[in-house]
Short mmCIF file of all heavy atoms in Angstrom, two decimals:
data_model
loop_
_atom_site.label_atom_id
_atom_site.label_comp_id
_atom_site.label_asym_id
_atom_site.label_seq_id
_atom_site.Cartn_x
_atom_site.Cartn_y
_atom_site.Cartn_z
N GLN A 1533 7.50 -9.14 19.46
CA GLN A 1533 8.69 -8.46 18.93
C GLN A 1533 8.38 -7.70 17.65
O GLN A 1533 7.66 -8.16 16.79
CB GLN A 1533 9.79 -9.48 18.62
CG GLN A 1533 10.51 -10.00 19.83
CD GLN A 1533 11.13 -8.91 20.66
OE1 GLN A 1533 12.03 -8.19 20.22
NE2 GLN A 1533 10.67 -8.77 21.88
N LEU A 1536 13.00 -6.83 13.04
CA LEU A 1536 14.25 -6.09 12.89
C LEU A 1536 14.43 -5.54 11.48
O LEU A 1536 15.12 -4.53 11.28
CB LEU A 1536 15.43 -6.99 13.25
CG LEU A 1536 15.61 -7.24 14.75
CD1 LEU A 1536 16.64 -8.33 14.98
CD2 LEU A 1536 16.01 -5.97 15.48
N PRO A 1588 16.03 2.85 19.37
CA PRO A 1588 16.00 2.03 20.60
C PRO A 1588 15.33 0.68 20.37
O PRO A 1588 15.72 -0.33 20.96
CB PRO A 1588 15.21 2.89 21.58
CG PRO A 1588 15.30 4.29 21.06
CD PRO A 1588 15.41 4.16 19.57
N GLU A 1589 14.30 0.65 19.49
CA GLU A 1589 13.60 -0.61 19.22
C GLU A 1589 14.53 -1.64 18.59
O GLU A 1589 14.42 -2.84 18.85
CB GLU A 1589 12.39 -0.37 18.31
CG GLU A 1589 11.31 0.49 18.91
CD GLU A 1589 11.56 1.98 18.72
OE1 GLU A 1589 12.66 2.35 18.22
OE2 GLU A 1589 10.66 2.77 19.06
N TRP A 1590 15.44 -1.15 17.72
CA TRP A 1590 16.39 -2.06 17.09
C TRP A 1590 17.34 -2.63 18.14
O TRP A 1590 17.62 -3.84 18.15
CB TRP A 1590 17.18 -1.36 16.00
CG TRP A 1590 18.17 -2.27 15.33
CD1 TRP A 1590 17.92 -3.21 14.37
CD2 TRP A 1590 19.58 -2.35 15.59
NE1 TRP A 1590 19.08 -3.87 14.02
CE2 TRP A 1590 20.11 -3.37 14.75
CE3 TRP A 1590 20.44 -1.67 16.45
CZ2 TRP A 1590 21.47 -3.70 14.75
CZ3 TRP A 1590 21.80 -2.01 16.45
CH2 TRP A 1590 22.30 -3.01 15.61
N LEU A 1591 17.83 -1.79 19.03
CA LEU A 1591 18.75 -2.26 20.07
C LEU A 1591 18.06 -3.27 20.98
O LEU A 1591 18.65 -4.28 21.37
CB LEU A 1591 19.26 -1.07 20.88
CG LEU A 1591 20.14 -0.08 20.09
CD1 LEU A 1591 20.41 1.16 20.91
CD2 LEU A 1591 21.45 -0.75 19.68
N ARG A 1592 16.79 -3.02 21.31
CA ARG A 1592 16.05 -3.97 22.14
C ARG A 1592 15.88 -5.30 21.39
O ARG A 1592 15.97 -6.38 21.98
CB ARG A 1592 14.68 -3.40 22.52
CG ARG A 1592 14.74 -2.38 23.65
CD ARG A 1592 13.37 -2.17 24.25
NE ARG A 1592 12.44 -1.55 23.31
CZ ARG A 1592 12.29 -0.25 23.16
NH1 ARG A 1592 13.01 0.60 23.89
NH2 ARG A 1592 11.42 0.23 22.29
N GLY A 1593 15.61 -5.22 20.09
CA GLY A 1593 15.46 -6.43 19.29
C GLY A 1593 16.73 -7.25 19.24
O GLY A 1593 16.68 -8.49 19.29
N ARG A 1594 17.85 -6.59 19.13
CA ARG A 1594 19.13 -7.30 19.10
C ARG A 1594 19.41 -7.99 20.45
O ARG A 1594 19.90 -9.12 20.50
CB ARG A 1594 20.27 -6.33 18.76
CG ARG A 1594 20.23 -5.83 17.34
CD ARG A 1594 20.58 -6.91 16.36
NE ARG A 1594 22.03 -7.09 16.26
CZ ARG A 1594 22.62 -8.18 15.82
NH1 ARG A 1594 21.90 -9.22 15.47
NH2 ARG A 1594 23.93 -8.25 15.74
N ARG A 1595 19.07 -7.30 21.54
CA ARG A 1595 19.23 -7.93 22.85
C ARG A 1595 18.30 -9.13 22.99
O ARG A 1595 18.68 -10.15 23.59
CB ARG A 1595 18.98 -6.90 23.97
CG ARG A 1595 20.08 -5.87 24.14
CD ARG A 1595 19.95 -5.12 25.44
NE ARG A 1595 18.78 -4.26 25.43
CZ ARG A 1595 18.77 -3.00 25.04
NH1 ARG A 1595 19.89 -2.43 24.60
NH2 ARG A 1595 17.66 -2.28 25.08
N PHE A 1596 17.10 -9.00 22.43
CA PHE A 1596 16.16 -10.12 22.53
C PHE A 1596 16.65 -11.33 21.76
O PHE A 1596 16.37 -12.48 22.16
CB PHE A 1596 14.77 -9.71 22.03
CG PHE A 1596 13.76 -10.80 22.18
CD1 PHE A 1596 13.24 -11.10 23.44
CD2 PHE A 1596 13.35 -11.55 21.09
CE1 PHE A 1596 12.32 -12.13 23.59
CE2 PHE A 1596 12.43 -12.58 21.23
CZ PHE A 1596 11.91 -12.87 22.49
N GLN A 1597 17.35 -11.14 20.67
CA GLN A 1597 17.92 -12.28 19.94
C GLN A 1597 18.78 -13.13 20.86
O GLN A 1597 18.69 -14.36 20.86
CB GLN A 1597 18.75 -11.79 18.75
CG GLN A 1597 17.92 -11.27 17.59
CD GLN A 1597 18.79 -10.86 16.41
OE1 GLN A 1597 19.64 -9.96 16.53
NE2 GLN A 1597 18.62 -11.52 15.29
N ARG A 1598 19.61 -12.48 21.64
CA ARG A 1598 20.48 -13.21 22.57
C ARG A 1598 19.65 -13.89 23.67
O ARG A 1598 19.92 -15.03 24.06
CB ARG A 1598 21.52 -12.27 23.17
CG ARG A 1598 22.55 -11.76 22.17
CD ARG A 1598 23.66 -11.01 22.85
NE ARG A 1598 23.22 -9.73 23.37
CZ ARG A 1598 23.17 -8.59 22.67
NH1 ARG A 1598 23.53 -8.60 21.39
NH2 ARG A 1598 22.76 -7.47 23.22
N ARG A 1599 18.63 -13.18 24.16
CA ARG A 1599 17.81 -13.74 25.24
C ARG A 1599 17.05 -14.97 24.76
O ARG A 1599 16.94 -15.97 25.48
CB ARG A 1599 16.84 -12.66 25.75
CG ARG A 1599 16.05 -13.11 26.98
CD ARG A 1599 15.55 -11.92 27.77
NE ARG A 1599 14.46 -11.24 27.14
CZ ARG A 1599 13.17 -11.57 27.30
NH1 ARG A 1599 12.83 -12.60 28.07
NH2 ARG A 1599 12.22 -10.87 26.71
N LEU A 1600 16.52 -14.94 23.54
CA LEU A 1600 15.80 -16.09 23.01
C LEU A 1600 16.74 -17.28 22.84
O LEU A 1600 16.40 -18.42 23.18
CB LEU A 1600 15.14 -15.74 21.68
CG LEU A 1600 14.44 -16.90 20.96
CD1 LEU A 1600 13.34 -17.49 21.83
CD2 LEU A 1600 13.88 -16.45 19.61
N ARG A 1601 17.90 -17.01 22.32
CA ARG A 1601 18.88 -18.09 22.12
C ARG A 1601 19.21 -18.76 23.46
O ARG A 1601 19.28 -19.99 23.57
CB ARG A 1601 20.13 -17.50 21.48
CG ARG A 1601 21.11 -18.51 20.92
CD ARG A 1601 22.30 -17.74 20.36
NE ARG A 1601 23.27 -18.63 19.78
CZ ARG A 1601 23.40 -18.88 18.48
NH1 ARG A 1601 22.56 -18.30 17.63
NH2 ARG A 1601 24.33 -19.68 18.04
N GLN A 1602 19.39 -17.93 24.48
CA GLN A 1602 19.70 -18.47 25.81
C GLN A 1602 18.53 -19.25 26.38
O GLN A 1602 18.72 -20.32 26.99
CB GLN A 1602 20.08 -17.31 26.75
CG GLN A 1602 21.41 -16.67 26.40
CD GLN A 1602 21.61 -15.32 27.09
OE1 GLN A 1602 20.71 -14.81 27.77
NE2 GLN A 1602 22.78 -14.72 26.90
#
Side-chain angles (χ1 to χ4, degrees):
Q1533 284 303 296
L1536 286 170
E1589 295 85 353
W1590 180 79
L1591 294 171
R1592 282 197 294 271
R1594 291 290 279 158
R1595 287 194 292 269
F1596 183 75
Q1597 286 183 299
R1598 292 189 289 274
R1599 186 158 74 87
L1600 176 59
R1601 193 182 182 100
Q1602 291 165 356

